[in-house]
């Protein structure tokens, strides 16, 4: 199986939107995704391609000194193949190149697979954000220390 990671472009917006709705029940929205790709210098969005098909996505902001993961998913039929980790590593590599100190993300406390994956990648739980999702479910704030000095 051939897994590639490439920059997201406008042709990917409808894939990301449809999958976000399917997986999370909500999306950043077509307009926001479009603006992020066209106009936000800080944004870094990537798409995973498996055998020429779109299989996943990661969105991040390279703010200095603390970069942020905005969202990550792997389409359900492609999970468990290492694609989630590969997308995360793409962002982590850029952060290292840019001397970023911390990479942070929020994850639902009940999302065991994702929490485990982030821990495997070196993230640690920093704190709980109560009622983070729709004022109901709690999130964990997870942080990866990269050691960069800006
Ligand atoms: C979380 C998610 C992105 C992981 O992507 P993935 O490509 O399936 O993950 P990987 O194959 O890279 O696996 C990464 C780790 O996750 C864990 N994991 C993934 N699938 C698993 C499964 N079915 N059972 C147990 N652990 C699993 C393992 O720790 C795995 O590492 P390992 O294979 O080295 O043991 C994917 O499940 C997903 O899109 N979920 C829905 C959306 C979501 O929750 N996004 C995260 C928002 S913060």
């Amino acid at each position: 199986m051939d897994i590639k990671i490439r920059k997201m472009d406008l042709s990917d917006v409808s894939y990301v939107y449809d999958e976000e709705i399917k997986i999370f029940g909500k999306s950043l929205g077509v307009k926001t995704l479009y603006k992020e790709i066209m106009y936000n210098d800080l944004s870094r969005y990537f798409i995973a391609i498996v055998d020429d098909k779109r299989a996943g996505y990661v969105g991040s902001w390279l703010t200095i000194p603390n970069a942020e993961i905005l969202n990550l998913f792997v389409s359900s039929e492609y999970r468990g193949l290492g694609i989630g980790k590969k997308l995360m590593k793409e962002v982590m590599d850029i952060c290292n190149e840019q001397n970023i100190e911390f990479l942070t993300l929020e994850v639902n406390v009940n999302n065991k697979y994702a929490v485990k994956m982030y821990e495997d990648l070196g993230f640690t739980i920093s704190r709980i954000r109560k009622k983070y999702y729709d004022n109901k479910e709690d999130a964990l704030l997870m942080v990866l220390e990269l050691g960069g000095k800006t």
Side-chain angles (χ1 to χ4, degrees):
M1 186 170 297
D2 183 29
I3 303 170
K4 286 200 190 85
I5 309 291
R6 64 155 169 79
K7 275 187 188 167
M8 180 174 164
D9 62 39
L10 291 183
S11 74
D12 303 311
V13 167
S14 61
Y15 163 75
V16 170
Y17 176 81
D18 290 348
E19 287 292 281
E20 282 187 330
I21 296 291
K22 199 155 85 184
I23 296 167
F24 303 108
K26 62 180 177 188
S27 167
L28 287 174
V30 169
K31 244 190 197 164
T32 302
L33 288 167
Y34 179 93
K35 280 194 210 151
E36 284 284 281
I37 290 168
M38 294 297 286
Y39 304 117
N40 186 352
D41 290 343
L42 299 171
S43 74
R44 299 290 183 278
Y45 284 60
F46 295 98
I47 295 281
I49 303 287
V50 176
D51 298 334
D52 293 331
K53 294 207 175 66
R54 295 177 179 95
Y57 145 97
V58 65
S60 62
W61 277 348
L62 235 64
T63 40
I64 291 173
N66 301 328
E68 221 181 305
I69 299 289
L70 303 174
N71 210 357
L72 166 77
F73 68 71
V74 172
S75 293
S76 56
E77 58 272 44
Y78 294 103
R79 287 183 195 158
L81 300 172
I83 297 171
K85 272 189 180 165
K86 214 165 170 165
L87 283 164
M88 286 298 298
K89 280 185 185 154
E90 187 76 25
V91 176
M92 287 158 62
D93 284 351
I94 297 174
C95 288
N96 275 317
E97 283 163 19
Q98 306 272 324
N99 290 330
I100 280 169
E101 287 179 52
F102 299 101
L103 179 60
T104 68
L105 58 86
E106 273 93 15
V107 56
N108 191 308
V109 281
N110 300 312
N111 194 347
K112 304 277 180 244
Y113 290 160
V115 173
K116 161 92 169 48
M117 179 184 72
Y118 296 134
E119 283 177 339
D120 286 355
L121 289 167
F123 284 79
T124 53
I125 295 167
S126 165
R127 68 178 81 107
I128 295 184
R129 294 197 156 154
K130 290 278 180 197
K131 299 190 176 180
Y132 182 79
Y133 298 105
D134 299 328
N135 214 14
K136 283 183 204 132
E137 292 187 90
D138 299 344
L140 299 175
L141 170 66
M142 297 187 77
V143 179
L144 176 70
E145 212 178 320
L146 293 153
K149 283 278 168 287
T150 48

